[in-house]
Amino acid sequence: MDKTYQPSTIEKQWYETWESNGYFAPSGEGDPYSIMIPPPNVTGSLHMGHGFQESIMDALIRYNRMKGKNTLWQVGTDHAGIATQMVVERLLDAEGKTRHDLGREKFIEKVWEWKEESGGNITRQLRRLGASPDWSRERFTMDDGFYKAVQEVFVRLYDDKLIYRGKRLVNWDPKLHTAISDLEVINEEKKGHLWHFNYPLSDGSGHLTVATTRPETMLGDTAVAVNPDDERYKALIGKTIKLPLTDREIPIIADDYVDMAFGTGCVKITPAHDFNDYEMGQRHNLEMINIFNDDAHINSNAPEKYVGLDRFVARKKIVEDLEALGLLEKIDDHNLKVPYGDRSGVVIEPYLTNQWYVKTQPLADEAIKAVEDGDINFVPKQYENMYFSWMRDIQDWCISRQLWWGHRIPAWYDDAGNVYVGRDEAEVRTKYSLADSLALKQDEDVLDTWFSSGLWTFGTLGWPEDTDFLKTFHPSSVLVTGFDIIFFWVARMIMLTLYFKKEIPFNTVYVHGLVRDSHGQKMSKSKGNVLDPIDLIDGIDLETLVQKRTAGMQVPQLKQKIEKMTRKEFPEGIAPYGTDALRYTYYSLASTGRDINFDVGRIEGFRNFCNKLWNASNYVLMNTEEHDCAQDGSSDYELTLADRWIVSRLQQAEKAVIEGIESYRLDLASQALYDFIWKDYCDWYLELTKPVLWDDNADEAVKKGTRRTLIRVLETILRLAHPLMPFITEEIWQRVKPLAGAEGDTIMLARYPVPDATKIDQQAITDIEWAKGIILGVRNIRGEMNIAPSKHIPIYIKNGSDDDKRCLADNLQFLKKLASLESVEWLTDADEAPLSATALVGKLEILVPMAGLIDKEAELARLQKESDKLTKEVERLEAKLNNPKFVDKAPAEVVDKEKNRLADVNNALGKLAEQQNKIRNL
RNA sequence: AGGACCAUAGCUCAGUUGGUUAGAGCGCUACCUUGACAUGGUAGAGGUCGGCGGUUCAAAUCCGCCUGGUCCUACCA
């Protein structure tokens, strides 16, 4: 093996091997385990959030696959109606064309062309992450089969009276010319104004002052409302207003909704352009006057002089005109929330249009019940509250979109405007007994992308046909997703799946946090703080990174700021860390928190961890290859204390890792594995094998036992780690397996370790801990006293029990090697010890002779530091034990524990004082 | 306005049902190229667990209030 770990040389090759050998596909044996990938947007490229999420899913899948389950990871992308259409329109725009120049059919062809060429970006990147979905079953929400499922669902919901068409106020995107759901609207706090206008009463007896943040909508006002209890205006209710700038008269109405304390207590009502006004309009049967076109320019319902003006131009003009009429009372500064389209970035208009809706209440009731009854569990549990709060206040779902790219609504109209819903025109004619001569026209609109992705868990498995895959893998085992998408997708999937499949889509929803930058900022292009997972894998030099982050930036100051920040944060660019390190970093951050701050400092640590594993394996291979490691199954070997210890610790580590994975705490799993590999296996065990393997006089059976343990524990570690770090483990495993007596073509399909409690040798653990205590004591003296590591020193041991004696005998060779000892001598009470530095391990005293090595003052200072620490501890313990309430009320074992501890600490303190006196009196 | 979540070492984070000497990684200090590894080793420094109060023999952990931060939902025109 190469001396240092080079991820780039192993990753690609192994991925190709796995994929071409079909290892990702379900085995067809064992209990089914399935995960449906939250389909990434086909226009997208892999961002840190995807990287995080896919890494988690891959770990779960690999773990369960190795446990022998029949594992399906269903992959695919969604067609992302608006986003994809926008991408292709932008391309057309570069040629100076619009989609209307092409026409619907040609445009859709173009989109498909684009999808074939560029749509595979994100799936290619997924492969770089080492993801192991069954690529042969990759689905796209616009695939024929999926299309069929979508149509089926629409038709059935319509026939079941759960889909209806209605003219309602929707969130309208004036740039994209489509309705969007309220989840796609981002409300942002903006500084604006509150304009106060005087509306004259028709009878000339005065005026009312109304306040508005949107003066342009006054052209569509059809009432002024006051609170019925408002003494100021009670007398005016029922009178009319002469609406300025128009020739209309509008009534003054009374409604509880009006807050007497806000503004003037009079509200202008524009039912066609405001959601609250709309409802009031319904209550009072007000006329609805729409004053906008699709692009939010004033339409011909308004006075001629405003027709065709953009809404913001019209606003200015109207304010000017009202001012000229002397009707502008005042302008106050005012903070308000402005709705923006999350795709287009323009201000969204409440707009009156015909749309299709899903009646959600009956679906939601079932969906709530499924979670209440525990059929579906959220992890962490707290997200259930979020789910419930949204579900219990659910609005009907507007599913039509005025786009070309998407699932076209299977509804047809005759010239009279009658609606017929069916799977195709022929079916519609039969179903509704329509004459062939009747002209039918299909609805122009398409369905919301989330409508189709709501069918994802069963639509991808062949529904409406009852396929074997559907029977085997539905419901899926777990959904892994971010909390930001609970409403968008999770809730809708649960509703639609329960209705059509009469079963839940998944047993568990594992909700993870959102990946942010190291300061907790959301990663965004405009902030210039985006990290590309691929750059973390392959590395990127500073100049390219700066360029990438500032590309397309229009504002020079912003560009400069981002460049400066990037150069400061990554003066050397980003090193190539490799996929395994990236994945491990994700796992280490996968705790229950909502925000995941990604700090590049941590990935470096895990790259080092990979290197550590790599080099440790190198050591193991050097000592086992071409040696007898009992790989033939022979049993003429002996295990050392160290061997028994590491095997014991391995069982405990396996248990901790498995518990972490099973409870969706990959941070705990990765931490347990990290500690075991680095601290137990590398720092201690490998060092403990050296005195055996390097001893020419050592018993061959003992050497064989050590080699056997070395290689077998390593082989187990690799399997244990594989779901988290697939590439490095496979690479090393291939070399290790013959020596460990393991079989199989790939570690991917090897069996996951199962902890065996009977292999835990408690005595071995205690004894090695004892040895570690002594070694650490000596090392502490060495370190503090600056004794060169190369200097071999003698030590004396005093005040030991028989058990200590036994431990010493068992550990002597380990102690000598790991603490660089020249000799270890046992002292009885009668023996006169030389002047020494002292370390305490329990009651045991370890003496390092000072002669020629240790300065008297330095040792006194070291002892003082030690006793200061212990003195504080004594004070704390005494205070506690002198408190009668503690002694009376706390459980006896807790009290005993503290008593013992106090005795120990006091004893140690006494010895330290004794030692200090000895040195001082010299 | 209502609700949720968060606040632990300089930084990024763990800390399961109250009882540990409060941990890890990075960074920092000192020493070390010893035959797996300087992407390393050894030793060490660093925290009154945001603040105040309460419950308890015992609180980082449970409760209340406050401060600071993030987010969600609903919005007053």
Side-chain angles (χ1 to χ4, degrees), chain A residues 774 778 782 791-797 808 811-827 834 846-849 853:
Chain A
I774 296 196
V778 176
R782 269 184 185 282
K791 174 83 184 162
H792 284 231
I793 53 177
I795 65 164
Y796 299 92
I797 292 182
L808 177 63
N811 279 299
L812 189 58
Q813 56 174 350
F814 298 146
L815 295 185
K816 279 186 159 175
K817 175 75 179 86
L818 271 67
S820 297
L821 301 181
E822 181 187 281
S823 61
V824 181
E825 216 168 298
W826 196 269
L827 291 185
I846 301 156
L847 308 177
V848 176
L853 285 175

Short mmCIF file of all heavy atoms in Angstrom, two decimals, chain A residues 774 778 782 791-797 808 811-827 834 846-849 853:
data_model
loop_
_atom_site.label_atom_id
_atom_site.label_comp_id
_atom_site.label_asym_id
_atom_site.label_seq_id
_atom_site.Cartn_x
_atom_site.Cartn_y
_atom_site.Cartn_z
N ILE A 774 -0.28 3.28 34.88
CA ILE A 774 1.14 3.39 35.20
C ILE A 774 1.89 4.10 34.07
O ILE A 774 2.70 5.00 34.31
CB ILE A 774 1.72 1.98 35.43
CG1 ILE A 774 1.02 1.40 36.66
CG2 ILE A 774 3.23 2.05 35.58
CD1 ILE A 774 1.69 0.23 37.27
N VAL A 778 4.01 7.66 34.39
CA VAL A 778 5.42 7.84 34.03
C VAL A 778 5.55 8.90 32.93
O VAL A 778 6.42 9.78 32.99
CB VAL A 778 6.04 6.51 33.56
CG1 VAL A 778 7.47 6.73 33.10
CG2 VAL A 778 6.00 5.49 34.69
N ARG A 782 7.68 12.34 32.77
CA ARG A 782 8.58 12.59 31.64
C ARG A 782 8.25 13.92 30.95
O ARG A 782 9.12 14.75 30.70
CB ARG A 782 8.38 11.51 30.58
CG ARG A 782 9.25 10.33 30.68
CD ARG A 782 8.94 9.46 29.47
NE ARG A 782 9.64 8.21 29.51
CZ ARG A 782 10.93 8.07 29.21
NH1 ARG A 782 11.64 9.10 28.81
NH2 ARG A 782 11.52 6.89 29.29
N LYS A 791 15.40 8.55 26.34
CA LYS A 791 16.08 8.16 27.58
C LYS A 791 15.31 7.06 28.30
O LYS A 791 14.16 7.25 28.71
CB LYS A 791 16.18 9.40 28.48
CG LYS A 791 16.74 9.15 29.85
CD LYS A 791 18.25 9.13 29.84
CE LYS A 791 18.78 8.76 31.24
NZ LYS A 791 20.19 8.33 31.17
N HIS A 792 15.90 5.90 28.41
CA HIS A 792 15.26 4.82 29.14
C HIS A 792 15.54 4.98 30.61
O HIS A 792 16.69 5.19 31.00
CB HIS A 792 15.75 3.47 28.62
CG HIS A 792 15.13 3.10 27.31
ND1 HIS A 792 14.51 1.90 27.08
CD2 HIS A 792 15.00 3.82 26.17
CE1 HIS A 792 14.05 1.89 25.84
NE2 HIS A 792 14.34 3.04 25.27
N ILE A 793 14.49 4.89 31.41
CA ILE A 793 14.67 5.16 32.84
C ILE A 793 14.22 3.98 33.69
O ILE A 793 13.35 3.21 33.28
CB ILE A 793 13.89 6.43 33.26
CG1 ILE A 793 12.41 6.30 32.84
CG2 ILE A 793 14.52 7.68 32.67
CD1 ILE A 793 11.56 7.46 33.29
N PRO A 794 14.80 3.87 34.85
CA PRO A 794 14.34 2.84 35.78
C PRO A 794 13.18 3.40 36.62
O PRO A 794 13.11 4.61 36.83
CB PRO A 794 15.55 2.63 36.69
CG PRO A 794 16.27 3.94 36.67
CD PRO A 794 15.95 4.63 35.36
N ILE A 795 12.27 2.55 37.01
CA ILE A 795 11.25 3.00 37.96
C ILE A 795 11.12 1.98 39.10
O ILE A 795 11.54 0.83 38.97
CB ILE A 795 9.85 3.21 37.33
CG1 ILE A 795 9.26 1.90 36.82
CG2 ILE A 795 9.89 4.28 36.26
CD1 ILE A 795 7.76 1.99 36.55
N TYR A 796 10.55 2.46 40.20
CA TYR A 796 10.27 1.59 41.33
C TYR A 796 8.78 1.65 41.60
O TYR A 796 8.13 2.68 41.39
CB TYR A 796 11.03 2.06 42.58
CG TYR A 796 12.53 2.01 42.38
CD1 TYR A 796 13.22 3.11 41.91
CD2 TYR A 796 13.25 0.83 42.64
CE1 TYR A 796 14.58 3.07 41.69
CE2 TYR A 796 14.61 0.78 42.43
CZ TYR A 796 15.29 1.90 41.96
OH TYR A 796 16.63 1.84 41.74
N ILE A 797 8.27 0.54 42.07
CA ILE A 797 6.85 0.50 42.40
C ILE A 797 6.71 0.13 43.86
O ILE A 797 7.38 -0.79 44.36
CB ILE A 797 6.10 -0.51 41.52
CG1 ILE A 797 6.08 0.00 40.08
CG2 ILE A 797 4.67 -0.70 42.02
CD1 ILE A 797 5.33 -0.89 39.14
N LEU A 808 1.56 -6.54 37.31
CA LEU A 808 2.89 -6.13 36.86
C LEU A 808 3.54 -7.24 36.05
O LEU A 808 4.10 -7.00 34.99
CB LEU A 808 3.76 -5.77 38.06
CG LEU A 808 5.20 -5.38 37.70
CD1 LEU A 808 5.21 -4.13 36.83
CD2 LEU A 808 6.03 -5.15 38.97
N ASN A 811 2.06 -7.48 32.67
CA ASN A 811 2.20 -6.29 31.82
C ASN A 811 3.64 -5.80 31.65
O ASN A 811 3.85 -4.80 30.99
CB ASN A 811 1.39 -5.13 32.42
CG ASN A 811 -0.09 -5.24 32.05
OD1 ASN A 811 -0.44 -5.21 30.89
ND2 ASN A 811 -0.94 -5.38 33.06
N LEU A 812 4.55 -6.51 32.26
CA LEU A 812 5.91 -5.98 32.32
C LEU A 812 6.46 -5.58 30.96
O LEU A 812 6.98 -4.47 30.77
CB LEU A 812 6.84 -7.00 32.99
CG LEU A 812 8.23 -6.46 33.30
CD1 LEU A 812 8.15 -5.24 34.20
CD2 LEU A 812 9.09 -7.54 33.96
N GLN A 813 6.31 -6.45 30.00
CA GLN A 813 6.87 -6.13 28.68
C GLN A 813 6.17 -4.92 28.06
O GLN A 813 6.80 -4.13 27.37
CB GLN A 813 6.78 -7.34 27.77
CG GLN A 813 5.36 -7.86 27.61
CD GLN A 813 5.26 -8.97 26.58
OE1 GLN A 813 6.21 -9.24 25.85
NE2 GLN A 813 4.10 -9.62 26.52
N PHE A 814 4.87 -4.81 28.31
CA PHE A 814 4.15 -3.65 27.76
C PHE A 814 4.63 -2.37 28.41
O PHE A 814 4.87 -1.36 27.74
CB PHE A 814 2.65 -3.78 28.04
CG PHE A 814 2.00 -4.98 27.38
CD1 PHE A 814 0.96 -5.65 28.01
CD2 PHE A 814 2.43 -5.42 26.14
CE1 PHE A 814 0.36 -6.74 27.41
CE2 PHE A 814 1.83 -6.52 25.54
CZ PHE A 814 0.79 -7.18 26.17
N LEU A 815 4.78 -2.40 29.73
CA LEU A 815 5.20 -1.20 30.44
C LEU A 815 6.56 -0.74 29.95
O LEU A 815 6.78 0.44 29.69
CB LEU A 815 5.29 -1.48 31.95
CG LEU A 815 3.99 -1.81 32.67
CD1 LEU A 815 4.24 -1.92 34.17
CD2 LEU A 815 2.94 -0.75 32.42
N LYS A 816 7.48 -1.67 29.85
CA LYS A 816 8.84 -1.32 29.44
C LYS A 816 8.84 -0.63 28.08
O LYS A 816 9.50 0.38 27.88
CB LYS A 816 9.71 -2.58 29.38
CG LYS A 816 10.23 -3.03 30.72
CD LYS A 816 11.18 -4.18 30.54
CE LYS A 816 12.09 -4.32 31.75
NZ LYS A 816 12.96 -5.52 31.63
N LYS A 817 8.07 -1.18 27.18
CA LYS A 817 8.06 -0.62 25.83
C LYS A 817 7.33 0.73 25.79
O LYS A 817 7.86 1.73 25.28
CB LYS A 817 7.36 -1.60 24.88
CG LYS A 817 7.18 -1.09 23.47
CD LYS A 817 8.50 -1.09 22.69
CE LYS A 817 8.33 -0.59 21.27
NZ LYS A 817 8.41 0.85 21.15
N LEU A 818 6.13 0.76 26.34
CA LEU A 818 5.31 1.96 26.15
C LEU A 818 5.74 3.13 27.03
O LEU A 818 5.42 4.28 26.71
CB LEU A 818 3.83 1.64 26.38
CG LEU A 818 3.13 1.19 25.09
CD1 LEU A 818 3.65 -0.13 24.58
CD2 LEU A 818 1.64 1.15 25.28
N ALA A 819 6.45 2.85 28.10
CA ALA A 819 6.90 3.96 28.93
C ALA A 819 8.42 4.15 28.80
O ALA A 819 9.00 4.94 29.54
CB ALA A 819 6.49 3.74 30.38
N SER A 820 9.03 3.41 27.89
CA SER A 820 10.49 3.46 27.69
C SER A 820 11.23 3.26 29.01
O SER A 820 11.97 4.12 29.47
CB SER A 820 10.92 4.80 27.10
OG SER A 820 10.37 4.98 25.84
N LEU A 821 10.99 2.12 29.62
CA LEU A 821 11.60 1.86 30.91
C LEU A 821 12.83 0.98 30.75
O LEU A 821 12.86 0.06 29.93
CB LEU A 821 10.59 1.17 31.83
CG LEU A 821 9.30 1.94 32.09
CD1 LEU A 821 8.40 1.16 33.04
CD2 LEU A 821 9.59 3.33 32.64
N GLU A 822 13.80 1.28 31.59
CA GLU A 822 15.01 0.47 31.62
C GLU A 822 14.75 -0.74 32.52
O GLU A 822 15.12 -1.86 32.20
CB GLU A 822 16.13 1.34 32.18
CG GLU A 822 17.47 0.71 32.29
CD GLU A 822 18.40 1.68 33.04
OE1 GLU A 822 18.87 2.63 32.39
OE2 GLU A 822 18.55 1.53 34.26
N SER A 823 14.07 -0.45 33.65
CA SER A 823 13.78 -1.54 34.58
C SER A 823 12.58 -1.16 35.44
O SER A 823 12.27 0.02 35.59
CB SER A 823 14.98 -1.78 35.50
OG SER A 823 15.23 -0.59 36.23
N VAL A 824 11.93 -2.18 35.97
CA VAL A 824 10.85 -1.94 36.91
C VAL A 824 11.17 -2.77 38.16
O VAL A 824 11.34 -3.98 38.07
CB VAL A 824 9.49 -2.39 36.35
CG1 VAL A 824 8.38 -2.11 37.37
CG2 VAL A 824 9.19 -1.70 35.04
N GLU A 825 11.28 -2.11 39.30
CA GLU A 825 11.66 -2.85 40.51
C GLU A 825 10.59 -2.68 41.58
O GLU A 825 10.05 -1.59 41.77
CB GLU A 825 12.99 -2.32 41.02
CG GLU A 825 13.85 -3.43 41.60
CD GLU A 825 15.27 -2.94 41.81
OE1 GLU A 825 15.93 -2.58 40.81
OE2 GLU A 825 15.70 -2.87 42.98
N TRP A 826 10.31 -3.77 42.25
CA TRP A 826 9.28 -3.78 43.28
C TRP A 826 9.92 -3.45 44.62
O TRP A 826 10.91 -4.04 45.01
CB TRP A 826 8.66 -5.17 43.33
CG TRP A 826 7.37 -5.18 44.05
CD1 TRP A 826 7.20 -5.42 45.38
CD2 TRP A 826 6.09 -4.93 43.50
NE1 TRP A 826 5.88 -5.33 45.70
CE2 TRP A 826 5.16 -5.04 44.55
CE3 TRP A 826 5.61 -4.63 42.23
CZ2 TRP A 826 3.80 -4.84 44.37
CZ3 TRP A 826 4.27 -4.46 42.05
CH2 TRP A 826 3.37 -4.54 43.10
N LEU A 827 9.37 -2.47 45.34
CA LEU A 827 9.91 -2.11 46.64
C LEU A 827 8.97 -2.56 47.74
O LEU A 827 7.76 -2.40 47.63
CB LEU A 827 10.10 -0.60 46.76
CG LEU A 827 11.19 0.05 45.91
CD1 LEU A 827 11.30 1.52 46.27
CD2 LEU A 827 12.52 -0.65 46.12
N PRO A 834 15.26 5.53 46.42
CA PRO A 834 16.06 6.70 46.10
C PRO A 834 15.15 7.92 45.99
O PRO A 834 13.94 7.77 45.87
CB PRO A 834 16.70 6.36 44.76
CG PRO A 834 15.78 5.37 44.14
CD PRO A 834 15.15 4.61 45.27
N ILE A 846 4.36 5.12 42.06
CA ILE A 846 5.37 4.89 41.03
C ILE A 846 6.47 5.91 41.24
O ILE A 846 6.21 7.11 41.34
CB ILE A 846 4.77 5.08 39.63
CG1 ILE A 846 3.62 4.09 39.45
CG2 ILE A 846 5.81 4.89 38.56
CD1 ILE A 846 2.65 4.54 38.43
N LEU A 847 7.70 5.43 41.34
CA LEU A 847 8.82 6.30 41.65
C LEU A 847 9.79 6.37 40.48
O LEU A 847 10.24 5.34 39.98
CB LEU A 847 9.55 5.79 42.88
CG LEU A 847 8.66 5.52 44.11
CD1 LEU A 847 9.48 4.95 45.25
CD2 LEU A 847 7.96 6.78 44.55
N VAL A 848 10.05 7.58 40.05
CA VAL A 848 11.06 7.78 39.00
C VAL A 848 12.24 8.50 39.64
O VAL A 848 12.12 9.65 40.04
CB VAL A 848 10.50 8.64 37.85
CG1 VAL A 848 11.56 8.92 36.81
CG2 VAL A 848 9.28 7.98 37.22
N PRO A 849 13.36 7.79 39.79
CA PRO A 849 14.51 8.38 40.47
C PRO A 849 14.93 9.68 39.82
O PRO A 849 14.96 9.78 38.59
CB PRO A 849 15.61 7.32 40.32
CG PRO A 849 14.88 6.06 40.06
CD PRO A 849 13.62 6.41 39.34
N LEU A 853 18.31 13.64 36.50
CA LEU A 853 17.25 13.81 35.50
C LEU A 853 16.31 14.95 35.88
O LEU A 853 15.85 15.70 35.03
CB LEU A 853 16.41 12.53 35.41
CG LEU A 853 17.02 11.35 34.68
CD1 LEU A 853 16.09 10.15 34.80
CD2 LEU A 853 17.26 11.69 33.21
#
